[in-house]
């Protein structure tokens, strides 16, 4: 057996190779030894590895490219024109951006018509609220339309992609630019809400020239805010941004009309509007001229712009509708009064102290009338408009009553001898008539008694900044206009009458916090008495009586004509004159300013509100029923005394003293003594302008003290002499 086996193998060499090959093949089938398959697997692995590496490198490169784009330029995109709006959000004035562009801020829910939004979404981005920046369906539809029709029917860009293009404008159109827009659109969607995206897009959309955003375009082309648009207007505003420069209404109105009509046709195809509505909209002509931006309340706007910094929207207390009514009134009356004459008007809400309207000049752009000078803030001579405050202090001090008699006759104070406007004298007249007729002599006589320094101090305390000539002390001449004051300060002071003795600092720029405190002008009774007297002032020709409490004034040399008036709701001040201070012969407050005042009240469109009722304790009586000392006012120099008579003097309480009142036993047990020396009986005791009775023969009296706080106690004797102390009850 040992010899046969090797012989058999050697005699069949071919068979041996075949068997070997067969064995090798069998091994391949078994998978125990597969050298050919391992080579193919290695090559496939290398290909996959290379592909994976390339993909990783591409992803890394893409991420790096996205990172290299930097953050979204949101701060720059949010820059808008500064806009001034009224108390209700209506646009008063807008200021162009530094580069001359008009870009107004947009709040879609408040500023934009729903019809426009419906067309915009249907035309530009039907799934705006559903996608995350990219709309594959829109992209596919645009590609299909381009392939089947040979030209672009609808774009595939979403509003977010268009916003990205507006934020980073590029002239060339390329795959790179489109890819960049897609990336930015996704970033925008992640950074902003849908409402914020829409607001920003509607503020940046181009409309030709220096107009950006729907508000700027609607105001410039249609002359109105885009809150209420017709179908034709809405379609026009949708069409213009597609090619803003070639569709500018002021240059290419026909191209704009054709673009509008294409939008309407598309909306019919999309079943957004009916064919009849589209035909009617197509029949509407497109505007061909650009309108100027609104400039209401330019002086107030300029002041607000210089006061408030880095705020895109500044809200004022003004009422745009009222402002719109009063500006033409000032312009028309100034033209009627003569060349170079201007008019200033201010309207103040009595309760809040808010400025509701401010007309700084007759025409902001009229250089001959110095239109850009705000005459409501200019310091001018007030003429007789300070007289009511003189009477108010006299009423407060208690030595005169509206129905007291006072002499209007020649009088001299040193070298100063006041005269009436008409150079005549009325003799003895009631105090209220002296104020209503604006008689000069009674006012100066009362001012002499009140004190010019005290009048100045009280008005400044109430917010009226009186400007005296340099190095000059307050004097009697200030009662007739020998001092400077602004129209707005006078309006604040006159509102104090309607507020029964307190003023509220004026406010024109609305802020979140209002910490203004009332300022004291007069006692309630005195303020009411002045208002009641002024209500009876004879009105201008053809005006209703007893409707508006008002006072006129004319400065020396016919340089300024004034009229200040108020009802229970608002105070209006009117100034007429030349801004350069030149005299205007015949310029009188009653003739030039008062008719404007009454017309201004009429143009407010509001029913006049009655003045407040008299406060508790107000002495309302005819002259015959007044206490003897109040029946007639006599100047200090005219008091007649018997020989050796002492001057009236309050001995108790002392001026400036504090009086502790124990009210534990009731009001009647808290009596306070008043003691006087000198004077002529009978004498009357008055507290805060209210008579409490007469001093007895021992020159004393017990009175019920007023409530806690400051009180003014006055004693008047039979000759009209008086002494006053101010005490504090606690």
């Amino acid at each position: 057996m040992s010899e046969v086996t090797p012989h058999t193998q050697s005699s069949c060499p071919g068979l041996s190779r075949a068997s070997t090959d067969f064995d090798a093949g069998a091994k391949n089938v078994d998978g125990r030894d597969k050298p050919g398959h391992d080579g193919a697997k290695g090559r496939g692995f290398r290909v996959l590895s290379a592909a994976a590496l390339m993909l990783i490198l591409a992803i890394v490169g893409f991420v790096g490219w996205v990172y290299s784009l930097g953050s979204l330029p949101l701060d720059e995109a949010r820059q808008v024109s500064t806009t001034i709006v009224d108390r209700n959000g209506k646009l008063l004035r807008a200021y162009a951006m530094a580069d001359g562009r008009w870009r107004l801020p947009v709040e879609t829910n408040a500023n934009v018509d729903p019809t426009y939004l419906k067309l915009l979404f249907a035309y530009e981005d039907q799934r705006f609220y559903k996608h995350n920046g990219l709309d594959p369906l829109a992209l596919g539809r645009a590609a299909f339309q381009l392939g089947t029709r040979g030209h672009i029917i609808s774009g595939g860009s979403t509003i977010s992609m268009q916003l990205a293009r507006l934020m980073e404008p590029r002239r060339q159109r390329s795959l790179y630019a489109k890819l960049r827009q897609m990336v930015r659109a996704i970033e925008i969607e992640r950074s902003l809400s849908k409402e914020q995206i829409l607001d920003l897009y509607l503020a940046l959309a181009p409309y030709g020239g220096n107009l950006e955003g729907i508000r700027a375009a609607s105001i410039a082309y249609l002359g109105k805010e885009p809150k209420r648009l017709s179908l034709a207007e809405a379609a026009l505003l949708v069409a213009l941004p597609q090619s803003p420069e070639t569709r500018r209404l002021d240059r290419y109105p026909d191209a704009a009309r054709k673009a509008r009509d294409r939008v309407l046709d598309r909306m019919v195809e999309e079943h957004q509007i009916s064919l009849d509505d589209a035909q009617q909209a197509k029949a509407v002509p497109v505007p061909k001229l650009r309108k100027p931006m609104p400039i209401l309340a330019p002086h107030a706007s300029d002041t607000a712009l210089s006061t408030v910094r880095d705020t895109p929207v500044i809200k004022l207390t003004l009422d745009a509708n009222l402002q719109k009514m009063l500006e033409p009134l000032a312009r028309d009356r100034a033209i009627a009064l003569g060349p170079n004459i201007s008019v200033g008007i201010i309207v103040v809400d009595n309760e809040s102290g808010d400025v509701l309207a401010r007309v700084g000049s007759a025409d902001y752009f009229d250089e001959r009338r110095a239109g850009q000078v705000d005459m409501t803030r200019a310091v001018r001579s007030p003429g007789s408009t300070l007289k009511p405050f003189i009477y108010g202090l006299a009423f407060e001090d208690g030595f005169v009553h509206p129905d007291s008699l006072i002499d209007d006759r020649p009088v001299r104070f040193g070298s100063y001898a006041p005269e009436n406007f008409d150079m005549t004298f009325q003799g003895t007249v009631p105090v209220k008539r002296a104020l209503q007729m604006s008689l000069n002599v009674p006012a100066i006589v009362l001012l002499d008694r009140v004190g010019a320094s005290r009048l100045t101090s009280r008005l400044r305390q109430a917010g009226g900044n009186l400007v005296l000539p340099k190095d000059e002390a307050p004097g009697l001449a200030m009662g007739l206009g020998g001092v400077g004051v602004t129209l707005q300060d006078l309006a604040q002071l006159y509102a104090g009458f309607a507020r029964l003795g307190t003023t509220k600092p004026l406010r024109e720029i609305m802020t979140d916090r209002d910490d203004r405190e009332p300022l004291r002008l007069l006692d309630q009774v005195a303020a009411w008495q002045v208002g009641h007297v002024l209500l009876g002032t004879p009105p201008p020709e053809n005006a209703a009586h007893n409707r508006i409490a008002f006072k006129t004034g004319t400065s020396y040399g016919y340089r300024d004509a004034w009229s200040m008036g108020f009802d229970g709701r608002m105070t209006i001040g009117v100034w007429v004159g030349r801004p350069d201070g030149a005299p205007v012969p015949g310029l009188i407050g009653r003739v030039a300013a008062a008719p404007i005042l009454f017309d201004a009240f009429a143009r407010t469109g509001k029913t006049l509100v009655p003045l407040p009722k008299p406060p508790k304790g107000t002495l309302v009586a005819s002259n015959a029923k007044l206490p003897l000392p109040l029946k007639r006012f006599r100047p200090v120099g005219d008091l007649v005394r018997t020989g050796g008579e002492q001057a009236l003097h309050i001995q108790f309480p002392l001026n400036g003293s504090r009086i502790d009142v124990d009210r534990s036993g009731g009001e009647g047990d808290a009596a306070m003594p008043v003691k006087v020396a000198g004077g002529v009986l009978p004498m009357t005791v008055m507290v805060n302008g209210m008579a409490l009775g007469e001093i007895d023969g021992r020159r004393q009296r017990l009175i019920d003290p007023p409530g806690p706080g400051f009180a003014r106690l006055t004693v008047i004797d039979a000759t009209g002499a008086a002494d006053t102390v101010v005490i504090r009850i606690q």
Side-chain angles (χ1 to χ4, degrees):
M1 291 293 294
S2 59
E3 294 179 356
V4 174
T5 300
H7 175 76
T8 302
Q9 293 174 350
S10 61
S11 63
C12 301
L15 180 60
S16 299
R17 286 194 299 272
S19 298
T20 304
D21 293 341
F22 176 80
D23 292 340
K27 290 179 181 180
N28 286 337
V29 172
D30 292 341
R32 293 189 297 268
D33 188 10
K34 304 175 183 178
H37 182 73
D38 286 345
K41 181 178 179 182
R43 288 192 299 273
F45 178 76
R46 287 191 295 271
V47 171
L48 290 176
S49 298
L53 180 61
M54 292 178 63
L55 179 60
I56 293 173
L57 291 175
I59 293 174
V60 172
F62 180 76
V63 172
W65 172 71
V66 172
Y67 182 78
S68 69
L69 296 179
S71 59
L72 288 169
L74 288 175
D75 291 340
E76 182 178 351
R78 286 171 173 156
Q79 293 180 2
V80 293
S81 302
T82 300
T83 54
I84 314 295
V85 299
D86 80 337
R87 65 191 305 111
N88 300 312
K90 292 184 178 180
L91 182 64
L92 294 171
R93 185 178 183 183
Y95 293 85
M97 299 174 66
D99 56 5
R101 288 177 295 166
W102 292 100
R103 181 195 293 175
L104 306 185
V106 177
E107 292 182 9
T108 305
N109 295 332
N111 299 129
V112 183
D113 190 293
T115 300
Y116 167 83
L117 295 176
K118 175 184 175 182
L119 299 187
L120 176 68
F121 292 139
Y123 195 79
E124 295 287 358
D125 194 347
Q126 296 181 3
R127 280 168 290 279
F128 172 71
Y129 285 103
K130 297 180 180 179
H131 62 67
N132 294 320
L134 306 180
D135 188 353
L137 294 178
L139 291 171
R141 182 192 66 222
F144 177 77
Q145 291 174 340
L146 177 62
T148 56
R149 302 195 186 186
H151 62 277
I152 297 176
I153 301 299
S154 62
S157 296
T158 63
I159 287 178
S160 300
M161 292 173 62
Q162 294 181 51
L163 176 58
R165 184 178 70 248
L166 294 173
M167 292 171 65
E168 297 177 326
R170 294 178 179 275
R171 293 185 178 180
Q172 72 279 8
R173 292 187 176 185
S174 62
L175 182 61
Y176 169 80
K178 183 63 69 174
L179 180 62
R180 184 186 181 103
Q181 291 172 20
M182 293 179 178
V183 172
R184 286 305 204 188
I186 296 174
E187 292 182 6
I188 289 172
E189 292 277 349
R190 294 182 62 183
S191 302
L192 305 174
S193 67
K194 289 291 186 180
E195 288 72 19
Q196 291 173 326
I197 292 172
L198 191 57
D199 289 350
L200 203 53
Y201 170 77
L202 293 180
L204 296 177
Y207 281 88
N210 62 347
L211 296 177
E212 292 185 359
I214 186 173
R215 287 186 68 197
S218 181
I219 292 171
Y221 290 144
L222 306 178
K224 63 180 182 179
E225 292 273 5
K227 291 182 179 180
R228 292 181 177 83
L229 299 173
S230 66
L231 178 59
E233 293 169 339
L236 179 64
L237 293 176
V238 169
L240 294 183
Q242 306 300 316
S243 183
E245 293 304 325
T246 61
R247 298 176 183 176
R248 287 180 56 172
L249 292 174
D250 55 343
R251 294 185 179 180
Y252 311 106
D254 290 338
R257 179 183 54 79
K258 293 177 182 178
R260 178 201 65 183
D261 294 348
R262 286 195 294 271
V263 171
L264 293 170
D265 291 338
R266 168 88 175 277
M267 294 301 99
V268 173
E269 294 178 8
E270 299 283 349
H271 303 291
Q272 297 293 327
I273 62 175
S274 67
L275 181 60
D276 289 342
D277 289 341
Q279 293 297 332
Q280 293 179 11
K282 288 181 179 180
V284 177
V286 299
K288 297 182 180 181
L289 296 176
R290 177 169 164 174
K291 299 175 176 60
M293 287 291 175
I295 305 182
L296 267 179
H299 301 90
S301 299
D302 287 345
T303 301
L305 185 67
S306 63
T307 303
V308 181
R309 301 287 185 179
D310 301 325
T311 301
V313 179
I314 303 175
K315 192 172 187 178
L316 303 185
T317 61
L318 304 185
D319 184 324
N321 294 330
L322 180 58
Q323 186 76 26
K324 194 179 297 184
M325 296 298 294
L326 296 184
E327 287 187 4
L329 171 63
R331 181 179 61 251
D332 295 343
R333 292 300 178 88
I335 293 174
L337 288 169
N340 304 321
I341 290 180
S342 190
V343 173
I345 304 174
I346 190 168
V347 182
V348 174
D349 181 79
N350 293 335
E351 181 178 358
S352 65
D354 289 348
V355 178
L356 301 179
R358 183 190 295 272
V359 182
S361 66
D363 188 341
Y364 184 75
F365 297 102
D366 191 338
E367 294 183 0
R368 295 180 307 165
R369 303 179 195 273
Q372 296 191 17
V373 177
D374 186 354
M375 298 310 300
T376 64
R377 291 185 170 92
V379 177
R380 309 289 292 204
S381 169
S384 298
T385 57
L386 295 185
K387 288 178 181 177
F389 305 103
I390 299 173
Y391 283 81
L393 287 176
F395 295 155
E396 180 182 286
D397 288 348
F399 58 76
V400 74
H401 183 274
D403 281 279
S404 301
L405 297 177
I406 192 169
D407 290 333
D408 177 34
R409 58 182 177 80
V411 64
R412 178 175 293 276
F413 299 89
S415 60
Y416 179 54
E419 296 178 336
N420 288 321
F421 187 79
D422 59 2
M423 306 301 290
T424 63
F425 296 95
Q426 301 296 317
T428 301
V429 296
V431 166
K432 61 183 179 183
R433 181 164 176 77
L435 177 55
Q436 292 167 351
M437 295 179 64
S438 195
L439 300 178
N440 289 342
V441 173
I444 297 303
V445 169
L446 291 177
L447 179 58
D448 181 53
R449 184 73 167 271
V450 168
S453 296
R454 180 160 167 253
L455 173 66
T456 303
S457 176
R458 182 65 66 86
L459 295 184
R460 286 177 174 170
Q461 173 185 315
N465 184 27
L466 302 185
V467 180
L468 292 163
K470 187 177 180 180
D471 300 327
E472 189 168 314
L476 296 180
M478 66 181 295
L480 304 182
V483 69
V485 71
T486 65
L487 181 62
Q488 66 177 10
D489 281 1
L490 270 182
Q492 177 176 326
L493 293 172
Y494 268 80
F497 294 128
R499 290 172 53 88
L500 292 183
T502 64
T503 65
K504 197 77 175 288
L506 300 188
R507 180 181 69 155
E508 192 167 65
I509 301 175
M510 298 191 74
T511 57
D512 295 334
R513 181 180 178 184
D514 182 11
D515 54 0
R516 295 170 297 158
E517 294 293 334
L519 306 173
R520 180 173 182 267
L521 175 65
L522 292 169
D523 290 339
Q524 287 191 4
V525 172
W528 180 87
Q529 288 174 325
V530 173
H532 187 68
V533 170
L534 294 180
L535 191 62
T537 302
E541 203 172 328
N542 300 323
H545 290 252
N546 300 317
R547 302 294 303 280
I548 300 171
F550 78 105
K551 181 73 182 73
T552 60
T554 305
S555 68
Y556 178 77
Y558 302 100
R559 289 174 169 83
D560 308 273
W562 304 78
S563 188
M564 309 296 300
F566 55 92
D567 69 346
R569 176 188 288 117
M570 64 181 62
T571 296
I572 300 181
V574 176
W575 171 89
V576 181
R578 288 183 50 152
D580 60 4
V584 182
L587 188 71
I588 302 172
R590 182 172 182 79
V591 176
I596 300 177
L597 173 73
F598 277 73
D599 203 346
F601 268 103
R603 295 196 183 196
T604 63
K606 298 182 181 297
T607 304
L608 294 175
V609 176
L611 294 178
K613 296 180 180 179
K616 183 179 179 180
T618 303
L619 177 60
V620 180
S622 64
N623 182 267
K625 296 182 179 180
L626 289 176
L628 181 60
L630 290 179
K631 289 180 179 294
R632 186 184 187 93
F633 172 77
R634 296 181 183 276
V636 176
D638 286 357
L639 298 181
V640 179
R641 303 184 183 278
T642 60
E645 179 186 321
Q646 296 181 355
L648 175 62
H649 173 63
I650 298 177
Q651 292 182 317
F652 185 86
L654 298 176
N655 187 38
S657 61
R658 297 186 180 185
I659 307 297
D660 292 318
V661 177
D662 182 10
R663 301 182 186 272
S664 59
E667 291 291 333
D669 296 334
M672 180 182 74
V674 177
K675 297 181 180 181
V676 300
V680 178
L681 294 173
M683 304 180 189
T684 302
V685 180
M686 305 187 73
V687 175
N688 296 332
M690 183 174 64
L692 298 183
E694 294 185 355
I695 297 289
D696 60 23
R698 296 176 299 170
R699 284 179 164 71
Q700 63 182 22
R701 181 182 178 86
L702 294 176
I703 65 171
D704 291 332
F710 288 99
R712 180 176 297 275
L713 188 149
T714 302
V715 176
I716 307 175
D717 74 358
T719 66
D723 190 23
T724 300
V725 296
V726 177
I727 59 176
R728 183 173 183 177
I729 306 296
Q730 56 187 15

